[in-house]
Every structure is written in structure tokens, then in C-alpha cells.
Amino acid sequence: MKAINILSLVQAFNSLNKNNYMNFSAHHGIGIKDDEVVDLTQLVTALNHIGSVSVFDSFYVGYKIPQIGKEFDLLRIGKNYAVNIELKRNSSEEKILKQLRRNYYYLGSIGKPVYCFCFIAGTGNTYYYNDKHEIRLVNLADLHTVLEKQIDLYFADIDNFFDPSNYLVSPFNSTERFVLGQYFLTHQQEEIRLELINIAGDESKPRFISITGSAGTGKTLLVYDFVKEMVLSRKKVLVIHCGKLNSGHYILNSKYNWGIASAKNCLSYILSSYSVIVIDEAQRIYPNQLEKIVGAVQSSSGMCVLSYDKAQTLSSWEERRNIDDYVQKIVTLKKYELTDKIRTNKALSSFIKALFNRGYNSPKIDSENVILNYFNNIESAKSFLMHLRNQSWTVLRFTPSRYTSSYHDNYSDPLNPNSHEVIGQEFDNVAVVIDSLFSYDINGDLIYAGGSYYHPVKMLFQNITRTRKKLNIVIVQNEHILDRCMSVLSG
């Protein structure tokens, strides 16, 4: 996206033919709608009557934070502070406050003071969000003064100011921030959340809801945010986690009196006594457990939320259970699907697709977030992995069998968390190993030649998709995989 003079933008909109204007706005990466440019025209005209034309320069129009998708109508960043202006035809003060509070939160990470305004074209009113987290009416001249005093305006890549991982709060890895509400949901998450709350209020009948989505779409944050609301509403809630409980679970249980149980113990609870039962990572639950939960919810007119990604199984028998098929047969099921990835950036997502399928024709990916290392022996790789752990990388290993040994045990360190221990979690910097037994089948799909109790390809996918920022791939004695990785990455 390029910065633009907004006086130039509105004059182009009002004088160029449609095709030329569309090309002009596309050249600058402008994404706001025509009716918003009409409102912008009114703002620019009013500011132009006040004074200096310098206040129009260097705006980013319709900027969206990568991955998060948070959009700002007008954003201008100077050396001394940042200015955000939202455009509305008409709006209530409640909605204005909500939006400016959200904008202030997202802009707080750029390390500068922030001024947030909202211009109402229908009335000509201007609102300012102050340091007491309130909005108040101000004169348009006040906005003009703030813009006029901004110095050393920024022209380069605005993405440099925004690190998406600053906004990705995990209930497990950022538990205190989660409990304090130091996060925002995406628009799609918020819509589903409100519907879940409304559904929870109707206790006249059993209610079943599925929330699906691929890795990184924000299922866990959404369902745990909903649970937090239910707990605050004094409803009796049981969360069933289909994996090993992590430190975040224990904090929520012990410090905040949540009710979170591992799936293996869920049938020891009186299920019919709960108003709401949430099953997280439901693709891993046993059919007999799910059958009893469904029966208990039906008998008590309770509510059951099943959150899962059917692709995130870790063994062949979990895959064969096909829990998704069982869930879809629940007669009264209401379905929601999260579609926007918010944890993994687009370049990293494309790389992961290309790694797991050689037939995926991805354009060359210029990703500084993927680091490749190659070793021709296991001992060197183990030493390097230990070094990475000491450098604050989260080194993830495959889950070992309880009964037999596997090839990947040779380079696994018990001090590193395994695939089952990190279900639902996320980390800034993740390191994984791809050993010599990985290859591609005739269809281009990644396969594993060695015997293993759990599925190595699925565990690799689970481990890789835990990363929010950087991925360090440690390749051991496997030139074919190294070649595939290098063919996808540019530079």
C-alpha cells in the first residue's frame, strides 16, 4: 500500500472517469468504498476551509493489518505520533466509542502516541477518543491542528509498524492477558460469539453447535472467550479438552475456578448437571464418549459446543473414527465455520501447503520467517536443536509410542514438548525436524516410511502449525525435502 494525498484522492474520484479512478486507487492499494470517498470528500472540503494543505498528505487509506484484517479508514504516521480518522455517514456514540477503543488498542503497539478521531459526514460532527478512554465532541479545527503538527511523515511500507503476533492472544500461552480481556476478536469471531450467547440463553431445548476451521483460524480463542462469558454469567460450564491439559488449563482451573477436564476423565463428571459443555479438539474424542455427552445434553436441554478441525488428527485410528461424520448427523446441529487465518501469515501458510504436497504450485515465496538447516547426521542435529532451545526457540518433537520405539526417538529430547502436549497452543518461534524417512508419494503427498505408533506426517503438521512468527526446519539426511523447500522459497 502507498501513502496518498487525500485531497488528490477525492479530486481524482470526482473528476476521473471510472476506469481511470479505479486504476489510480488500485495503484495506491486503496480499498475503501465509493460512499466512504464521498464522506471523505466532505471531510477534506471542511479541512480545506480551515488552512494548510499540508494536512492532506501521506495518508494510508483503508489499511488492513496483515493476518488480523483490522482496517483503518485513514491512518497517518509521523515521527511524533500517529493519527487515525474513521469516516461514518451516521453512527451512535456507543458504536463510535467501541470502534475507536479497538483502533486505539491496535495502534498502541507501534510505539508512538496515538490520536483517534471519527468524522460523521451526516452531521459534520468530529469525535476524539481521549486518554480516559472516552469520546468527546471536538471542533474540526482541533483535528486540523493535530494533523498540522505531525512531523516527519512516514512514506515507506506501513506493514513494518505492525507485528500480527502482538495481537494474537492465546488462552494457554497468554492466559493472564486472555483473562483480562487484552485482545479483540475478528469480525467473524464476534458475530459467531454473539450468536452463541443468544443460543445459550434459550434453555427450553437441547442445543448443539459445531465450530470448524483449519489450523490458525482462531477456534480456540473464540470458544474460550465464549466460555469466559458463560462463567461470568454464572452458568455451570464444563470444558472437555481432547488432549493433555497444559499450564494455561491449570491456571484457569485453579486461579479462576473454571471447569476444564481432559477427555479421558470426562465421563466421571455428571454431564447432565452442566448448562454448557464445550468439547475442544473434538476430532480426537472417542465415539462412546461423544455419544454419552450428546445423550446427557439432550436429557437436560443443555448446550454443547464442538470445536474441531477434522484434518488435525494425530493417528490413523483417530482418522478412522471420523468424528466429523458423527457430529454432522446430530439432527439439531447448528454449524459455523471460521475461514480467515489469523495465526499464520500468508507466505508461511503457502510454504506449509507446498511442503505437504509437492503438487501444490505455489509462486516463489519470499519469506524471511522460514529458516532451513541441513545436517548429515543425527548427533549434529541434536546438538543444534539443544542450541535452538537455549536461544528461546520452542523445539517440538513427535510424541513417542508407549509400547515400541520409533526412528524419530533417536533425535527426540524429552525436555522438548511433544505433539500431544501442544494441542491448541501457539508459539512465536517453532523448530521442527524432518528426518530421512519423509518423502513424497506418486500423488505428491508427504509420507513417512518408518513405523510409528502415531502418524509422523500428521504430527509434523500439528507441530508446524503451532508457529505464529518464525519456523526453523531442521532437515536430517534428506536432500529431497531440502530441495523441495528451497524450490518453494525465493532468495
Side-chain angles (χ1 to χ4, degrees):
M1 171 172 275
K2 295 181 174 67
I4 190 172
N5 183 297
I6 54 175
L7 177 60
S8 167
L9 174 61
V10 299
Q11 290 191 3
F13 175 77
N14 289 302
S15 61
L16 295 176
N17 67 54
K18 186 173 182 179
N19 285 338
N20 283 340
Y21 169 71
M22 289 176 64
N23 291 333
F24 179 76
S25 60
H27 172 74
H28 290 88
I30 293 169
I32 64 172
K33 300 174 183 176
D34 286 357
D35 57 353
E36 291 175 301
V37 185
V38 172
D39 296 341
L40 176 60
T41 301
Q42 186 171 330
L43 171 64
V44 168
T45 301
L47 287 172
N48 205 21
H49 287 317
I50 297 175
S52 172
V53 296
S54 66
V55 300
F56 300 126
D57 207 22
S58 302
F59 277 92
Y60 295 89
V61 181
Y63 174 72
K64 292 183 180 180
I65 299 177
Q67 293 177 233
I68 306 298
K70 170 60 187 156
E71 183 175 356
F72 305 91
D73 287 347
L74 300 175
L75 184 58
R76 192 165 86 152
I77 298 177
K79 184 177 181 180
N80 49 346
Y81 50 78
V83 178
N84 161 234
I85 307 170
E86 292 300 311
L87 304 169
K88 302 290 181 189
R89 183 67 50 86
N90 289 290
S91 187
S92 67
E93 290 193 349
E94 180 184 358
K95 289 182 178 178
I96 294 169
L97 175 61
K98 183 178 180 181
Q99 181 170 23
L100 295 188
R101 179 188 292 134
R102 181 185 289 253
N103 289 10
Y104 189 85
Y105 164 78
Y106 280 108
L107 293 171
S109 69
I110 67 176
K112 300 175 183 291
V114 175
Y115 292 85
C116 292
F117 294 88
C118 182
F119 176 73
I120 310 298
T123 62
N125 288 336
T126 304
Y127 288 89
Y128 169 63
Y129 182 80
N130 62 30
D131 55 9
K132 295 180 180 178
H133 308 296
E134 303 166 337
I135 58 169
R136 60 181 175 87
L137 278 170
V138 295
N139 295 320
L140 198 61
D142 296 324
L143 170 58
H144 189 282
T145 299
V146 169
L147 293 172
E148 199 170 31
K149 291 183 177 180
Q150 216 174 0
I151 59 174
D152 293 341
L153 300 179
Y154 188 76
F155 292 93
D157 186 357
I158 192 173
D159 287 349
N160 293 333
F161 281 103
F162 297 94
D163 182 350
S165 65
N166 289 334
Y167 312 111
L168 299 174
V169 171
S170 163
F172 311 140
N173 306 99
S174 322
T175 308
E176 297 298 335
R177 287 182 64 193
F178 166 74
V179 171
L180 292 172
Q182 295 176 354
Y183 61 92
F184 284 101
L185 301 178
T186 65
H187 179 68
Q188 187 186 26
Q189 286 173 319
E190 274 199 343
E191 286 188 330
I192 297 174
R193 173 186 182 271
L194 290 174
E195 291 203 31
L196 292 179
I197 292 171
N198 289 334
I199 293 170
D202 178 10
E203 299 182 344
S204 63
K205 58 188 177 183
R207 292 135 294 153
F208 295 92
I209 293 91
S210 68
I211 298 175
T212 58
S214 59
T217 52
K219 299 183 298 298
T220 297
L221 179 59
L222 170 59
V223 295
Y224 274 74
D225 178 87
F226 167 68
V227 170
K228 183 169 68 170
E229 179 66 27
M230 294 296 98
V231 171
L232 291 173
S233 301
R234 307 292 184 186
K235 292 197 179 282
K236 190 176 181 183
V237 183
L238 176 64
V239 178
I240 299 172
H241 178 71
C242 301
K244 187 175 180 180
L245 297 191
N246 56 56
S247 59
H249 288 129
Y250 290 118
I251 292 171
L252 290 170
N253 276 345
S254 61
K255 191 173 180 180
Y256 298 101
N257 298 312
W258 282 37
I260 305 174
S262 64
K264 67 179 181 180
N265 298 322
C266 69
L267 297 185
S268 64
Y269 291 76
I270 303 174
L271 300 172
S272 59
S273 68
Y274 291 90
S275 300
V276 178
I277 296 177
V278 172
I279 308 175
D280 193 23
E281 306 290 343
Q283 75 277 5
R284 304 193 61 244
I285 200 165
Y286 283 93
N288 69 304
Q289 293 174 320
L290 183 54
E291 186 176 345
K292 291 182 179 180
I293 293 168
V294 168
V297 171
Q298 287 174 332
S299 67
S300 63
S301 292
M303 178 177 178
C304 180
V305 179
L306 301 106
S307 171
Y308 66 98
D309 172 12
K310 64 181 181 180
Q312 291 263 335
T313 53
L314 295 177
S315 63
S316 56
W317 58 89
E318 286 179 355
E319 196 171 15
R320 287 194 298 269
R321 286 177 200 156
N322 196 5
I323 291 299
D324 176 62
D325 187 55
Y326 184 101
V327 172
Q328 297 305 315
K329 290 177 182 177
I330 298 175
V331 177
T332 58
L333 182 71
K334 189 171 180 62
K335 306 173 188 177
Y336 298 95
E337 182 181 8
L338 290 168
T339 55
D340 300 327
K341 282 187 179 291
I342 57 175
R343 182 170 68 224
T344 308
N345 65 57
K346 290 182 178 179
L348 195 51
S349 292
S350 293
F351 172 78
I352 292 171
K353 288 180 182 177
L355 172 62
F356 280 82
N357 189 292
R358 194 171 53 187
Y360 178 74
N361 295 318
S362 168
K364 284 278 189 177
I365 298 168
D366 183 14
S367 180
E368 59 184 17
N369 297 318
V370 179
I371 301 169
L372 300 178
N373 288 282
Y374 181 86
F375 296 95
N376 65 8
N377 65 83
I378 288 175
E379 290 306 316
S380 295
K382 286 176 67 175
S383 297
F384 180 68
L385 292 169
M386 188 179 299
H387 164 73
L388 288 179
R389 188 176 66 218
N390 293 335
Q391 296 298 314
S392 299
W393 285 81
T394 301
V395 180
L396 301 181
R397 64 189 174 110
F398 297 144
T399 305
S401 168
R402 291 174 291 173
Y403 310 107
T404 59
S405 61
S406 302
Y407 180 75
H408 56 75
D409 295 336
N410 293 319
Y411 54 80
S412 290
D413 186 335
L415 294 178
N416 297 327
N418 65 49
S419 303
H420 284 70
E421 291 172 334
V422 297
I423 290 172
Q425 296 191 67
E426 52 194 54
F427 309 93
D428 283 345
N429 304 309
V430 169
V432 299
V433 176
I434 299 180
D435 65 44
S436 59
L437 300 185
F438 282 93
S439 62
Y440 294 98
D441 65 15
I442 58 173
N443 297 317
D445 291 320
L446 191 66
I447 58 173
Y448 194 74
S452 180
Y453 186 74
Y454 298 107
H455 202 308
V457 174
K458 289 181 175 293
M459 289 192 287
L460 179 63
F461 184 75
Q462 160 80 0
N463 292 355
I464 280 182
T465 55
R466 297 307 94 200
T467 188
R468 292 192 294 198
K469 260 181 166 177
K470 290 186 179 293
L471 176 64
N472 198 319
I473 299 183
V474 179
I475 301 171
V476 184
Q477 298 174 324
N478 197 325
E479 290 189 44
H480 294 296
I481 297 295
L482 176 64
D483 180 67
R484 174 58 179 165
C485 291
M486 292 191 298
S487 72
V488 174
L489 297 172
S490 63

